[in-house]
Amino acid sequence: MAERSPDIRPLDLGALQALLERVRDLKVACVGDLMLDRYVYGEVSRISPEAPIPVLRAGQTVAMPGGVGNVARNVAALGGQARLGAVAGDDAAGRDLGQLIADEARIEDFVVRPAGTSTVVKTRFVAAGQQLLRLDDESSQRQSIDDSEAFSSASAILLSDYAKGVVGDGLIAAALTAARTSGAPVVVDPKGRDFARYGAVDVIKPNASELAGATGLPVETDAEVEAALTALLAATSAKAIVVTRAGKGMTLARRDGPIRHFPGRAREVFDVSGAGDTGLAALGLALGAGATLETAVQFAILASGVVVGKAGTAVVTPAELIDAEMSQHAHAAHAKVTPLDELAAEVEGWKRQGLKVGFTNGCFDILHRGHVAYLAQARGWCDRLVVALNTDASVRRLKGEGRPVNDLDSRAVVLGGLTSVDRVTSFDDPTPIALIERLRPDVLIKGADYTREGVVGGDLVESWGGVVRLAEFRDGYSTTRTIEKMKDPA
C-alpha cells in the first residue's frame, strides 16, 4: 500500500540550506550522450505564400551543451564539480561544444573525440516563447565507450541515456564497478524498454511516459503508477525507481520500503526542455552528499520546478532554490492564518482523527527567542497547536499607545512560519474565553509566569477532560525589553 502525500512536507529552508552546503564542490561523474543544443530566436509576422507555414525572421542564436552536457551544467550551477564523460565529433559542432565546456569553470572535460565522428546537434526555432520546429542533425552511426576517466574520485555517478549509443553494456558495467570501489550511488536517466540492462544501479529515473513504455501499463493515476513501478522493480535489479510525473510530482518505489508519492510544486511552466536533466543532477548531488532518497527526491522536485519557468535548456542556482523555497514557505505561512469558523471545522476534524489539540494565546508582537522556545514546548504537549493573537486594538488596550509594533497580519504570518504552529487565529475580546469554548482544546497552554488558577478558561478545559500546562519562558527575553533596546541601544 502506498503512502500518500499529506504526510510528506517539502524541504524546509534550513534543511535546504544545509543540503546546499553539503553538495558544494562535490565531484559528480556525468556520463552519457552529449549533444549541442542550439536555439534560434526570432519573430513571425506572416505566413509563407509557398505553404501554410509561419515565416521565422531569425534573430539571436544561442548554443549550449545538451544531453549529459546539460546534466553537468546543472551539477555545476548547483555548486558541484561535474566530471563530464561523453563522445563528441571532430567537426565544427564538436569544437563549439569543446569551447562551451571549457567556459564552464566547474566542469572537467573527459569527452573523447574519435576521428570521423559527427556531433549530434539539436536546433530549436522559437518565436514568442513557442517552439515552431526542432531540427535534429545526427548520424545513424552510434559511438559507445566502455569506460570513462570521469568515474574516478566521483561521489556520485550519473548515467544520462538518450539512446545515442554511449550508454552501452560496457559503460554500465564500468560504472557499477567504480561504484562498488568508491561507494558512490549510481543514478540512471533511462531510454528504451529494457531497463533491466542497467543492472543493480541505485536509482532508475524514468518519466511517466518511459515507465509506461517499459512496462506496457497505464500510468495516469497513483494506483496505476504504483502497479507499473511494482512491475518494473520485479523486472529489474535496481534498488529504487523514481518516476517523474510533471505537475503531479514524483513517486518513489524502493525494495526496502513502501511506494511514496511526492507532490509537485505549483509553478508557471514556460519550457520543459532539460527539466529531466536538472532533476537528475539534483537527485545525484543530494545522494552523493549522503541525503536520504526521500530528501533527494524533494530536492529534485524543487530544482525541476524552478527550471521549467525558464526558457531553453536552462540551469538552476542555489540562490534561485532558496528564493523558491522562501516563496513557498511564505505561502504556507499565510495558509495557516485561519478564520474562526473554518478553524473550528478543522479542529473537529483533527479530533475525529484522534489528534490532541493545543491552544495558547498572546500578543506575540516582536517574535524573539523566548517565544520560539515557548511555542516549541507547547507543541510538544499536543499534536496540533492553535495560537490566538490579540487584535491590534486589543494589544493597544493591554499595552498602551505605540503597541503593537507589528500589525495583526504581520504577526500572524510570522507565527505561521514556525513549524511548531499549526494554525493562527485572532480575537478582540478582553479574554480568549469565547474561542476556548468554541474550539474545546485538549491542552490549554500559558506561560509559567501564570498560576494554574490564573489561567483564563482552565476550569472549562478541565471540565471536558483537558489539561492546563504552564510553559517556561527563557530568562532575558521579552518584547518590552526588545523595544527598550531599540530606543536606547546602549
Side-chain angles (χ1 to χ4, degrees):
M1 178 65 67
E3 292 185 9
R4 297 294 174 177
S5 58
D7 68 326
I8 301 173
R9 296 185 176 182
L11 277 177
D12 63 37
L13 189 58
L16 174 61
Q17 290 174 318
L19 181 56
L20 287 169
E21 284 294 321
R22 282 156 48 203
V23 305
R24 184 182 297 168
D25 295 328
L26 197 74
K27 290 185 178 181
V28 177
C30 306
V31 183
D33 295 305
L34 178 65
M35 56 204 71
L36 180 66
D37 279 350
R38 285 198 180 112
Y39 288 82
V40 179
Y41 296 97
E43 295 182 358
V44 172
S45 58
R46 63 192 180 96
I47 301 298
S48 171
E50 301 166 1
I53 57 173
V55 176
L56 178 70
R57 184 176 181 179
Q60 183 185 25
T61 298
V62 177
M64 60 198 71
V68 72
N70 191 45
V71 178
R73 289 178 67 231
N74 274 277
V75 166
L78 287 167
Q81 294 282 350
R83 298 169 62 84
L84 177 59
V87 176
D90 60 347
D91 49 12
R95 289 187 288 275
D96 289 345
L97 262 177
Q99 185 58 56
L100 290 167
I101 294 166
D103 291 341
E104 297 275 357
R106 287 180 169 271
I107 298 181
E108 296 180 77
D109 187 343
F110 295 96
V111 178
V112 296
R113 298 170 173 85
T117 302
S118 60
T119 302
V120 176
V121 181
K122 293 183 178 181
T123 305
R124 297 169 176 89
F125 299 89
V126 183
Q130 298 292 322
Q131 286 191 31
L132 304 179
L133 176 70
R134 192 181 88 183
L135 174 65
D136 289 1
D137 183 4
E138 58 182 291
S139 168
S140 59
Q141 180 183 3
R142 295 289 186 259
Q143 180 69 49
S144 64
I145 54 177
D146 289 334
D147 202 348
S148 176
E149 294 179 42
F151 294 144
S152 176
S153 73
S155 296
I157 295 173
L158 309 182
L159 298 181
S160 179
D161 191 354
Y162 275 77
K164 307 301 180 187
V166 170
V167 185
D169 293 345
L171 184 69
I172 294 167
L176 292 171
T177 298
R180 281 193 293 271
T181 300
S182 66
V186 180
V187 185
V188 179
D189 200 337
K191 279 292 182 292
R193 293 177 177 274
D194 181 16
F195 289 2
R197 72 186 188 89
Y198 296 115
V201 297
D202 292 271
V203 183
I204 298 177
K205 189 195 76 66
N207 60 34
S209 176
E210 290 162 344
L211 176 62
T215 61
L217 297 171
V219 292
E220 289 299 317
T221 67
D222 285 356
E224 289 173 346
V225 168
E226 293 162 22
L229 285 170
T230 301
L232 191 56
L233 278 175
T236 68
S237 52
K239 298 171 187 174
I241 301 169
V242 174
V243 57
T244 60
R245 304 172 62 191
K248 295 179 181 179
M250 298 185 183
T251 300
L252 165 65
R254 57 198 307 171
R255 295 190 182 279
D256 58 351
I259 296 176
R260 305 188 75 186
H261 300 287
F262 294 77
R265 299 291 189 96
R267 297 275 187 254
E268 182 178 358
V269 177
F270 189 81
D271 191 340
V272 298
S273 300
D277 299 331
T278 302
L280 177 63
L283 198 65
L285 272 168
L287 292 175
T292 65
L293 255 175
E294 288 77 10
T295 296
V297 170
Q298 297 277 31
F299 189 52
I301 288 173
L302 179 61
S304 300
V306 172
V307 85
V308 296
K310 298 183 174 187
T313 309
V315 297
V316 60
T317 66
E320 289 169 332
L321 291 185
I322 290 172
D323 183 64
E325 185 55 42
M326 288 178 68
S327 297
Q328 186 81 11
H329 191 67
H331 175 76
H334 278 282
K336 291 183 182 180
V337 182
T338 312
L340 179 56
D341 287 343
E342 182 181 331
L343 176 59
E346 285 191 289
V347 168
E348 287 181 11
W350 291 338
K351 289 182 176 181
R352 284 196 297 270
Q353 297 173 47
L355 299 176
K356 187 182 295 183
V357 178
F359 178 95
T360 190
N361 65 280
C363 299
F364 295 96
D365 190 359
I366 297 177
L367 199 69
H368 52 69
R369 184 175 177 179
H371 288 139
V372 174
Y374 168 82
L375 292 168
Q377 186 177 7
R379 184 59 165 78
W381 290 326
C382 58
D383 300 305
R384 297 289 186 270
L385 178 63
V386 175
V387 179
L389 288 174
N390 293 81
T391 63
D392 293 347
S394 176
V395 175
R396 276 192 296 274
R397 291 194 296 269
L398 289 169
K399 305 291 185 180
E401 290 301 321
R403 300 286 300 274
V405 175
N406 294 301
D407 63 22
L408 177 61
D409 287 345
S410 300
R411 290 182 284 132
V413 171
V414 169
L415 278 176
L418 299 177
T419 56
S420 57
V421 176
D422 294 286
R423 291 295 182 271
V424 183
T425 193
S426 62
F427 66 100
D428 191 57
D429 296 335
T431 74
I433 193 70
L435 273 178
I436 294 170
E437 289 177 330
R438 179 76 183 276
L439 299 178
R440 297 175 64 87
D442 303 294
V443 187
L444 179 60
I445 303 113
K446 289 298 289 183
D449 51 340
Y450 282 77
T451 63
R452 159 61 195 85
E453 292 74 20
V455 177
V456 173
D459 292 340
L460 268 177
V461 171
E462 289 176 343
S463 73
W464 55 66
V467 296
V468 177
R469 296 274 195 172
L470 300 180
E472 296 178 2
F473 274 114
R474 293 274 183 103
D475 290 338
Y477 296 97
S478 76
T479 299
T480 301
R481 187 170 298 178
T482 301
I483 293 172
E484 289 173 352
K485 281 186 176 181
M486 293 167 65
K487 291 178 178 178
D488 183 11

